[in-house]
Amino acid sequence: MTDAPLLSLLVPAVGGQGGGVLLDWIVDAALIDGYPVHGTSIPGVAQRTGSTTYYVELSGERNQSVDGTPIFSLYPVPGALDVLLAPEFLEVGRSIELGFPSPGRTTIIASTHRLYSIHEKIVTGRGIYPIEKLQAAARAFSKRLIAFDALALAREHGTEANAVLLGALAGSGVLPLSAEAFREAIRTKAVQVEANLRGFEAGFAVAAGPAAGAGEGSRGFGTPLAPDPSRATPAGPAVTATSPDIERIVVGFPEGLGAIVREAVARLVDYQDRAYAERYLERLQPFVQGGDLELSRIVARHLAVWMTYEDAVRVAQLKTRASRFERIRRDKAVGAGELVVTDFLKPDLDELYGVLPYRLVAPFARWAERRWPNGRPTIGQHVKTTTVSGFLRVWMLTWLRPLRPISYRAREEHARIDRWLSAVTRCATWDNALACEVGRAAQLVKGYGDVRRRMVGHFDRLLEAVMRAAQHDAATGGKFETSRSLAARYRTLVLQGPESEAAAAALATEGLARS
């Protein structure tokens, strides 16, 4: 056995991130430079229910004799890791939880972009793990930290994030391998050589730059993703929050509210038309005149989201926009090649007849609710929207946009919106904090099909229970602590996910019994 030091490197990845190729590049680079090396992978379950780990150990001395060949480990030792190379930022948190990196030894090189885990996606509310906590943990458990958005940099250079991270590893100087050895490893692999070399050079420049020495890459934490200019339709220009016409509409709103209203009006004009945006402003005006800025902000935000509910017409609008196909072409690096996009659509009966005039379909809708009380049938379709026939099938739905104000869905949604606004107004006469909680209840109205029906049921139950409790508090001269607590607790439980909805329903039943 040799006494030469061993350097350890861990790549925690998810299926599709190119972790295996990254492992091969590192091992090949070490062999090219003459360093004894061993690499192994431990398969996991892809798509974030468990990651695949790629582990590399290499000797700190090159060209050793046969008798001095080191004995390599197949798995990292907690606290003894030299390099953590993470293709996505949550993997840094996973590795810290397992105890691999240590502040006295480990260099962490990580991409700051996020691919959300299953647990983050299934939460009904916002279940995204706070990026600030990940950043703090990465700083605390690293001797040196190089963190930047490798995915954005890869897209900018028409390559993949694993090539960018390989360049960052080379630029960091944490391994005794030459940059040319890494380049030769890419050439030897003979897969997308030019594109991968571009990514390598981009990542190398980030890690070797002056900002990297301070602990973070030159792109740093919190680099925002480029906004998607997706409001442009095939038939017209984009509607943006900075358009002069939008500025004229929102003039006069107080500071702290104008930014929300500006974005809301642009969204509403894009969704329907200017008259629809003016209806939004009419609904918002009483709350602005009331003088409570926090309540106005809550109503402004949730009202805009609710009024732009995604019906079949909206889905067709979004799926047939030229900017969507441009984004897909850019993200997939298709270039001038043929682009094939297949949309998997599964509308139910509610969504189909919901875009038709109320007077025409109301009798059928009532029959359908009696016939299928627990959810309407769905119609699955696979539509290739990059073909002429597939595009026209979806695009023709946008022709129903002028009928949206008199549609069955619009009547249902706006009746519930008016009931919510009335409840907020009534609560504002009693207690502003209670009014804010009732305003936030609109966050429950979300989803499609069966999910939306379930969430609307929770919203209705919350509104009934809270208003009954508030009336009881008002009659008994209370301070509305009970009704405020009921609204906040119910909303929090529902937004935690389906497993907490039964507890929320029981809470509402208990509140109704007390009042």
Side-chain angles (χ1 to χ4, degrees):
M1 294 175 62
T2 177
D3 292 330
L6 294 179
L7 298 172
S8 56
L9 181 145
L10 177 66
V11 181
V14 181
Q17 291 184 321
V21 175
L22 187 55
L23 173 75
D24 291 343
W25 281 334
I26 297 169
V27 170
D28 289 347
L31 293 174
I32 289 169
D33 259 2
Y35 287 89
V37 64
H38 179 77
T40 187
S41 63
I42 301 174
V45 182
Q47 302 305 323
R48 274 328 204 15
T49 51
S51 62
T52 296
T53 55
Y54 302 91
Y55 182 59
V56 178
E57 280 192 359
L58 71 153
S59 173
E61 297 179 0
R62 57 162 47 126
N63 299 322
Q64 295 174 348
S65 64
V66 175
D67 293 337
T69 299
I71 297 177
F72 294 112
S73 172
L74 300 179
Y75 198 72
V77 176
L81 189 66
D82 292 293
V83 184
L84 176 64
L85 188 60
E88 193 270 341
F89 209 50
L90 189 62
E91 295 300 335
V92 176
R94 282 180 183 260
S95 298
I96 291 173
E97 184 181 26
L98 295 171
F100 291 128
S102 64
R105 179 169 181 170
T106 308
T107 295
I108 295 179
I109 304 171
S111 178
T112 55
H113 78 277
R114 290 297 324 283
L115 298 176
Y116 300 123
S117 68
I118 298 298
H119 294 292
E120 289 174 303
K121 292 178 180 178
I122 63 174
V123 177
T124 308
R126 181 178 174 84
I128 298 173
Y129 192 82
I131 191 70
E132 296 80 11
K133 291 186 177 181
L134 288 173
Q135 293 168 0
R139 292 189 184 99
F141 285 86
S142 63
K143 180 179 180 181
R144 181 185 177 196
L145 175 63
I146 301 173
F148 63 101
D149 193 336
L151 182 61
L153 198 58
R155 288 173 174 171
E156 181 182 331
H157 289 82
T159 183
E160 300 296 333
N162 60 348
V164 175
L165 288 169
L166 184 72
L169 174 64
S172 69
V174 68
L175 297 183
L177 306 180
S178 66
E180 188 54 39
F182 286 107
R183 296 186 183 100
E184 186 59 31
I186 292 175
R187 298 187 189 100
T188 303
K189 193 73 173 175
V191 177
Q192 297 290 329
V193 173
E194 293 301 321
N196 287 327
L197 285 175
R198 288 197 304 271
F200 176 86
E201 299 301 340
F204 187 91
V206 168
E216 295 182 11
S218 61
R219 297 205 165 212
F221 283 128
T223 303
L225 296 177
D228 180 14
S230 59
R231 289 198 175 105
T233 67
V239 178
T240 68
T242 57
S243 299
D245 191 44
I246 303 299
E247 291 294 337
R248 286 193 294 271
I249 291 176
V250 303
V251 67
F253 279 90
E255 185 178 357
L257 183 61
I260 297 175
V261 174
R262 185 179 296 108
E263 184 64 33
V265 169
R267 177 175 175 141
L268 289 153
V269 171
D270 175 63
Y271 179 83
Q272 188 63 31
D273 51 31
R274 183 187 174 103
Y276 197 64
E278 290 174 348
R279 183 180 183 186
Y280 162 82
L281 294 174
E282 290 173 3
R283 282 170 156 169
L284 179 61
Q285 197 62 41
F287 300 96
V288 177
Q289 293 174 347
D292 188 288
L293 182 59
E294 179 62 18
L295 179 59
S296 299
R297 289 170 59 88
I298 292 169
V299 172
R301 179 176 180 272
H302 290 300
L303 178 59
V305 173
W306 198 341
M307 286 183 66
T308 53
Y309 59 88
E310 294 192 355
D311 57 5
V313 176
R314 183 60 168 173
V315 171
Q317 282 180 300
L318 298 175
K319 288 189 177 295
T320 57
R321 285 181 166 165
S323 58
R324 179 193 182 219
F325 298 108
E326 292 169 2
R327 174 177 53 80
I328 294 173
R329 187 179 295 278
R330 181 181 64 250
D331 291 349
K332 299 302 179 181
V334 176
E338 181 183 4
L339 178 67
V340 178
V341 177
T342 301
D343 284 301
F344 295 81
L345 307 175
K346 197 175 180 180
D348 63 13
L349 281 181
D350 282 354
E351 293 173 280
L352 293 177
Y353 62 65
V355 298
L356 299 175
Y358 177 84
R359 292 179 179 273
L360 179 65
V361 300
F364 175 78
R366 289 192 289 268
W367 174 83
E369 290 173 5
R370 293 193 301 270
R371 173 66 177 81
W372 298 287
N374 297 319
R376 263 54 91 197
T378 59
I379 302 175
Q381 302 177 66
H382 300 171
V383 183
K384 290 187 177 180
T385 45
T386 44
T387 64
V388 174
S389 60
F391 182 86
L392 288 176
R393 281 177 61 188
V394 179
W395 181 60
M396 287 174 67
L397 281 173
T398 65
W399 295 359
L400 298 175
R401 182 179 177 182
L403 297 179
R404 183 186 272 145
I406 61 170
S407 67
Y408 182 87
R409 177 75 181 275
R411 179 165 178 145
E412 295 289 314
E413 296 289 350
H414 288 282
R416 188 167 275 108
I417 288 172
D418 289 336
R419 190 159 64 249
W420 166 64
L421 292 176
S422 296
V424 175
T425 302
R426 180 77 183 277
C427 290
T429 63
W430 293 327
D431 181 75
N432 274 334
L434 173 61
C436 289
E437 285 297 339
V438 174
R440 294 186 185 99
Q443 189 180 6
L444 299 184
V445 184
K446 59 177 63 183
Y448 308 90
D450 290 339
V451 173
R452 191 174 185 90
R453 280 189 288 272
R454 192 178 80 243
M455 298 304 292
V456 163
H458 281 298
F459 171 81
D460 291 342
R461 191 178 296 115
L462 181 152
L463 210 60
E464 179 185 6
V466 171
M467 293 307 293
R468 288 268 296 271
Q471 289 170 355
H472 181 266
D473 287 345
T476 57
K479 296 182 179 180
F480 300 97
E481 293 178 355
T482 301
S483 48
R484 286 200 305 267
S485 174
L486 174 60
R489 289 171 60 198
Y490 191 103
R491 178 172 54 85
T492 300
L493 283 170
V494 173
L495 293 179
Q496 286 176 353
E499 67 280 356
S500 300
E501 291 179 17
L507 181 66
T509 301
E510 180 183 349
L512 286 170
R514 288 179 178 176
S515 57

